[in-house]
Amino acid sequence: QYLRRAAKAGINRTVLFAAFHSDYTQANREVARIVASLNARRPGRVYGFAFVNAERDRGRVAAMVGEAVTRFGFCGIKVHRHDARISREICEVARAFKLPVLYDVMGEVSVCELLAQEYPDVNFIIPHLGSFGDDWQSQLALIDHLTRHPNIYTDTSGVRRFDLLEQAVRRAGAKKILFGTDGPWLHPGVELAKVKALELSPVDERLVLSGNFLRLISRVKTKERAR
């Protein structure tokens, strides 16, 4: 259903990762099966991210991510504050595999200061402008981090305060913003309309809709690139 909605909206490629799960090793393998099936019919249609739990997966993050990257061709890590706060182990694994980390901080944007300084060679995507719950103070604070730190990015998914999205682009630049949908719960066509409403230049719109993401995954040595 999501892919049908995306195709109707003109979205041709999508990043997939698991929903919350009690066993992310199993969940990531199931995502890999879906990615492989979809890409067999249309190569390059979907990209996989490996979901990990900083607490429950402690001590085995490298093995989980290693399998996801070298066996399945995944190109990023997903972490959610609802599971646990991000750990040094995850950041170090991301550094080793040169992976971007999509970390939903659930409003705890102050962690960006530590992440930016401790891991300047790891790129962090903080979705929803820092808060899916419309915490405008956290979203404003994240714009400051976007502006100051070269390795902190955000995405547009679920951001309802359009003025804050405009401010993020104006202050941090289109190069720090990625298009996101948070599908299947949010409609990709609605989320895409927000980007169109920003009335960016053609160059900046391409950065937001695809260029920034492709740049962030360009260093990853997935199995497809190894071939």
Side-chain angles (χ1 to χ4, degrees):
Q1 182 185 50
Y2 172 79
L3 289 177
R4 286 196 298 270
R5 289 174 174 174
K8 189 173 181 179
I11 299 167
N12 299 313
R13 299 188 179 193
T14 297
V15 176
L16 296 182
F17 45 80
F20 292 118
H21 202 280
S22 59
D23 183 348
Y24 282 131
T25 296
Q26 175 187 338
N28 291 334
R29 289 171 180 172
E30 179 64 13
V31 170
R33 184 191 66 78
I34 297 169
V35 168
S37 175
L38 292 170
N39 284 342
R41 284 176 273 171
R42 188 194 302 172
R45 186 180 188 185
V46 290
Y47 302 85
F49 270 36
F51 213 138
V52 295
N53 183 314
E55 292 185 0
R56 193 174 59 235
D57 298 324
R58 184 180 299 133
R60 57 178 180 173
V61 172
M64 292 172 64
V65 172
E67 177 183 62
V69 173
T70 61
R71 182 179 174 188
F72 304 138
F74 283 15
C75 56
I77 297 174
K78 172 63 189 290
V79 186
H80 204 293
R81 173 65 186 86
H82 177 77
D83 283 332
R85 289 185 173 91
I86 196 169
S87 64
R88 289 187 178 275
E89 179 184 11
I90 292 172
C91 295
E92 288 164 3
V93 169
R95 171 185 281 163
F97 285 96
K98 299 183 179 179
L99 297 167
V101 179
L102 178 63
Y103 178 34
D104 191 331
V105 300
M106 295 181 64
E108 293 185 357
V109 300
S110 59
V111 70
C112 294
E113 193 70 30
L114 177 63
L115 295 175
Q117 294 189 29
E118 292 291 315
Y119 300 96
D121 51 345
V122 176
N123 292 310
F124 297 93
I125 306 165
I126 311 300
H128 320 309
L129 201 59
S131 173
F132 189 78
D134 294 327
D135 180 352
W136 64 268
Q137 291 176 313
S138 294
Q139 292 176 328
L140 273 176
L142 184 67
I143 295 173
D144 291 336
H145 291 295
L146 293 174
T147 303
R148 293 189 296 110
H149 301 303
N151 62 330
I152 301 296
Y153 296 78
T154 193
D155 81 9
T156 61
S157 65
V159 180
R160 295 199 298 174
R161 284 282 301 272
F162 188 73
D163 60 319
L164 292 179
L165 198 55
E166 287 183 310
Q167 185 179 155
V169 173
R170 184 175 68 252
R171 292 178 55 196
K175 66 183 182 300
K176 302 301 292 292
I177 316 295
L178 282 71
F179 168 58
T181 68
D182 210 60
W185 298 283
L186 303 183
H187 195 295
V190 174
E191 296 302 300
L192 180 59
K194 293 191 304 189
V195 175
K196 296 294 186 180
L198 289 169
E199 298 182 344
L200 303 172
S201 71
V203 171
D204 283 349
E205 186 172 283
R206 282 195 297 272
L207 286 177
V208 172
L209 293 180
S210 61
N212 293 329
F213 171 76
L214 294 174
R215 186 179 75 253
L216 292 182
I217 67 168
S218 63
R219 300 188 305 160
V220 184
K221 296 181 180 179
T222 64
K223 63 176 183 178
E224 284 80 6
R225 291 193 179 92
R227 292 172 183 170

